Amino acid sequence: MEGAGEVGGAPEASGTAPVSSGELFRSRFGGEPDGVWLAPGRANLMGEHTDYNDGYVLPFALGQGVTAAAAGRPGPGSRQLTLCSRQEPAATVQIALDGLAPGQVTGWAAYPAGVAWALEAAGYPVPGACIAIDSDLPAGAGLSSSAALECATALALTGLAQTGLAQTGLAGQAIPRRELAAIARRAENEFVGVPTGIMDQSASLLSQAGHALLLDCRSLDTSQVPFDPAAAEATLLLINTRAKHELSDGEYGQRRAECEEAARRLGVSSLRSLTTPAEADKLADPVLRRRARHVVADNQRVLDVVALLSAPLAPSGQHSPVDIYRDIGQLLTESHASLRDDFEISWPEADATVEAALAAGAFGARMMGGGFGGSVLALVPATAAGPVRDAVTAAFARHAWTPPEFLDAVPSASARRLALAPGPRAQGDMVAPDHRAGLSRRAQPEARRPEEETVPVRDEAAKLAGEIAELRHAIHREPEIGLDLPKTQAKVLDALSGLPLEISTGQALSSVTAVLRGGRRSGAGPVVLLRGDMDALPVTEETGLPYASAVPGAMHACGHDLHTAMLAGAAKLLCARQADLPGTVIFMFQPGEEGYAGARHMISEGVLDAAGQRPVAAYALHVTSNKLPCGMFSTRPGPMLAAADQIRVTVHGRGGHASQPHRAADPIPVAAEMVLAFQTLVTRKFDVFDPIVITVGSFHAGTTDNVIPDRARFLATARSYSAASRASLAELVPRLIKGIALSHGLHADVEYAAEYPVTVNDAAEAAFATATIADAFGPGRGETAEFPITGAEDFSFVLNEVPGAFVFLGACPPDRDPESAPTNHSALALFDDAALAEGTALYAELALRRLAQG
Ligand code: GLA
């Protein structure tokens, strides 16, 4: 393990009886733990020392990790953490939580103590607890055992906190994993005192089995990159060189300081801003130049590896999986050279390992992690794994070094609570049996860990995926705008025909309302509403899709075609479970979301009362063609989207000759003054923490240069996030406009037209949606959005009446970068069909689980 506080010396691979943290817990503390949490170590495919430079990294979670068996300590005097570790047999460490501060705890216990401190500093009270730690990560091998220890502790403490809600005040809200990663990193940076980046904690908390995690350390956006070397008959070998890796010895901090100095001298905020090695070459200092060159090149290599892993295979086999892995191997070797020569952090055992592995047929190899010790990652054809092992072992023997240790590196799932092991549970063993097998230092295939139960809803949705996509494509081909969408309505009615639904259609608009009454409580259960909007935009499509819009000037550029198809899919899925459904579901298929307030019309036509009783909750999904990777959900408690109102102004002056403005009353400078005054209004009259956006998007006056016109007109949009600010806008904007006109002796008509209210997610419903996503889709699939979105939504009218949540779903095609992909409403926006089954499943899961809650 990295850093000053390693979790003990490396237990020997053989000859040591495997002891689980559950057993350790019982033997040290007596009694049963409340649970056992596992956090994996990580390997890093590409991107070394790029994380603290705001760059890219591509790590993956290992099968090996740290387990924490823990139990809360209720009662008075309970604000103590009592820690023990199998790798530190002598010591049981007692830490008082009250008054805990950096510097008070040293050695391995500083990591868990630091996590408790950072959790409390972030406003998450920590309960007193007894925690027993075990690890099958070799210490000092650069596999991030310190981050794994932090993350296992963080999950255990927050898991425990959730069991004692009243005491902890956590209100049952799971801490988003991204935030937990930041908390664990803070523990390491500020409590332990090692200035690491965010890569290791993110890998442990956000990875997915079978994937590498692309993390942009500047935006903290992540995407899962499928990574399955076995499919190309390749093997990843982790070779522990046995040269102990330490982060706390100063070299790591020195490299970081050098990078920061290089950025400073180049006048950029971080080395991420450099895109070519030539920019690094501007540095006069040769050392700083080399450091910067490595960072630029390794950032690019991360993107190159991601591109290779995402590249479609050429049909004739010119670019076969083997070619891809050979190219990735080449990049690994280049990265090693850069780390050795430019960053100067390699060590003799690593150089010898890389050399021997390449000579024995590896596709490529490189040192991994912080440097000066630890492991090498080699990518080898499966047939060459044996020869590579032999060659490296022989090289070590020639130098009389301690023989290397070989570990399999299987891209595995992120940190999680382990399920109770069957059988031994009678004796209270809570650690998965195959995790114990992991003590032999061989990663186990992910499927063999007994963990979360499989959720059939997702499988059922996946089976419907083809059908849902077909409906989506049909809707996409024939887009309709506004409140009257007869063709779309017909397609929806067709998709729902034959299902056990009560269907009604709208009067003033072509809506469809479908009610499904469950059989379990014969009409007595609660009602949940699911909304999907159906309308398109006045955009001429330029995507070139095979099912692109056949209607010039109309396009499903906001993905409502996906919403409609997913909601129809969810209706089908839920109808199949009608007999077991403990309540009623209203499916709201809504026209006119794009500026026509279709939801308000449907409410006035009675959609909220369609089941005979008001819904207890309402949910809507919205896809996005950029920002979120495909399949990622995002929501937040409180304001989710802005209120959007329109300001319409006409300034009345008196026209005349442009050469004699004093004989006319020129409306143009007065209107221009109003445009600028809006920005002063925004900053001087509104709380910066309750923001406002006013944008004048249309300004018209006059006909030519030498005539002063009679009038100037402009339109502005006003966005706000609270009812109070919105009300102030409605009052202050007309006053400002009138006042400016008057002060120039002119007159202005001003209209503040209220359009869509703020879309406010109910805190409990947003937490419920977040928990449903985590439980149904596994870790790393949902994020809590840090900020609301400045767009607006007419689902706000529904949420004004019924508590609920609005959830975004990433649908960016995997070959596009979510950061730069064309946005919703663009003629080029693409939404991937892969999101369809996921959205369908979430709609169904939200209804099923919410109805079950009552
Ligand atoms: C250590 C740190 C990481 C990262 C790597 C080098 O593992 O913990 O944050 O900087 O070194 O890539």
Side-chain angles (χ1 to χ4, degrees), residues 42 48-49 51-52 196-197 199-200 247 252 369-370:
R42 63 101 190 93
E48 223 61 87
H49 287 261
D51 59 353
Y52 55 77
T196 52
M199 169 169 73
D200 301 348
L247 283 179
Y252 182 92

